[in-house]
Amino acid sequence: EVYRLLIPVVLGISVLYIILLSIVYLIYRNINNNNRLYRLQYDFINNLTHEFKTPVSVIKIAGNNIKSAQSVTDEERFMYGRILDQEADKLNNLMNKLLSYAQIENKSIPFKGEWINLHEFCEEIFKACRIKYTDLMLTYSVEVTDELHTDPVLLASVFHNLVDNAYKYSAAGQRIVHVEIQQTKKNFVMIFSDKGIGIAKAELKSVHTFKKD
């Protein structure tokens, strides 16, 4: 008789326990999602702020070169004019990214893809990098035949970050970067090589890889 009376009590306690566990799990999941969203927002703003520095630096260096030059040839004038125009476009694109950030809904940056010529893309990117870092030995090889469908602003952000980090974490006299871009049957392969300190093993877990078809 005692056991018969205890069974409903035990079942009730078990149900209550399961409910409490479910509530704890939901709270934990919400906190975890909020933390992920916060990290995503922080990384996005931090990266975007970092990207503003590159075109601003290039524009400033180009302006100083023009100001300090005794005379400017037509070729140099065209080169600096093109650089300033390109960097102004980059600033405009970055500003548009920042403005569209408020409209991001699915915890991801909007992808605005277009077909780009990697030969022309790399030439523009690395020309700006050479102006910014005059003591950087930067070489590259582009062995592709097709255009790449990508977001040029985001891809440029990746390139600038990798070059900036290679320069920042390499000793003076060892600031060397070589970039190889190859094309396989299904993919484009981009390899950045430098003589920097590399990434600590403890930080490798923070490096995320993904594949997008």
Side-chain angles (χ1 to χ4, degrees):
E1 182 68 19
V2 173
Y3 288 151
R4 186 178 65 82
L5 294 174
L6 285 177
I7 288 176
V9 176
V10 173
L11 290 176
I13 294 175
S14 299
V15 171
L16 181 61
Y17 184 71
I18 293 173
I19 293 174
L20 289 175
L21 284 179
S22 300
I23 293 174
V24 171
Y25 169 74
L26 291 174
I27 293 174
Y28 170 79
R29 188 183 66 175
N30 288 335
I31 293 175
N32 188 53
N33 288 339
N34 289 335
N35 287 336
R36 289 182 64 252
L37 179 58
Y38 171 78
R39 288 195 300 269
L40 179 66
Q41 293 171 336
Y42 175 82
D43 290 342
F44 176 71
I45 295 296
N46 187 52
N47 290 335
L48 198 60
T49 302
H50 178 75
E51 287 312 306
F52 270 103
K53 296 179 181 179
T54 298
V56 169
S57 298
V58 173
I59 290 173
K60 185 174 182 180
I61 293 172
N64 287 335
N65 289 345
I66 295 173
K67 182 175 66 175
S68 61
Q70 297 295 330
S71 61
V72 180
T73 64
D74 289 340
E75 182 180 355
E76 290 174 333
R77 178 175 56 80
F78 176 79
M79 179 190 69
Y80 283 121
R82 183 181 178 186
I83 290 173
L84 292 174
D85 184 61
Q86 290 171 350
E87 298 307 311
D89 287 339
K90 291 177 184 177
L91 284 174
N92 185 57
N93 288 332
L94 289 170
M95 183 61 69
N96 290 335
K97 289 290 182 182
L98 184 60
L99 292 175
S100 64
Y101 175 70
Q103 300 175 351
I104 297 175
E105 296 180 351
N106 297 321
K107 301 180 184 180
S108 62
I109 303 173
F111 178 83
K112 297 181 180 179
E114 60 182 77
W115 293 99
I116 65 170
N117 183 306
L118 282 171
H119 294 274
E120 297 176 357
F121 176 84
C122 290
E123 182 180 356
E124 295 177 1
I125 292 292
F126 296 139
K127 183 182 294 184
C129 290
R130 289 191 180 104
I131 292 177
K132 182 179 180 181
Y133 301 119
T134 56
D135 60 335
L136 173 65
M137 184 181 298
L138 194 156
T139 58
Y140 66 95
S141 172
V142 182
E143 299 178 1
V144 301
T145 55
D146 299 327
E147 291 187 335
L148 173 65
H149 186 261
T150 184
D151 186 323
V153 175
L154 297 181
L155 184 60
S157 173
V158 173
F159 274 50
H160 280 298
N161 279 336
L162 290 174
V163 173
D164 288 346
N165 288 336
Y167 184 88
K168 180 179 179 181
Y169 296 105
S170 296
Q174 294 293 320
R175 288 165 175 161
I176 301 172
V177 177
H178 179 66
V179 183
E180 293 183 25
I181 301 180
Q182 306 165 358
Q183 182 178 357
T184 64
K185 291 182 178 180
K186 296 183 178 180
N187 302 303
F188 288 86
V189 181
M190 302 178 184
I191 304 172
F192 283 71
S193 305
D194 64 68
K195 295 185 178 298
I197 61 176
I199 302 176
K201 291 184 178 180
E203 300 296 330
L204 288 176
K205 61 182 180 180
S206 300
V207 179
H208 302 286
T209 60
F210 68 93
K211 181 178 180 181
K212 181 178 178 61
D213 296 329

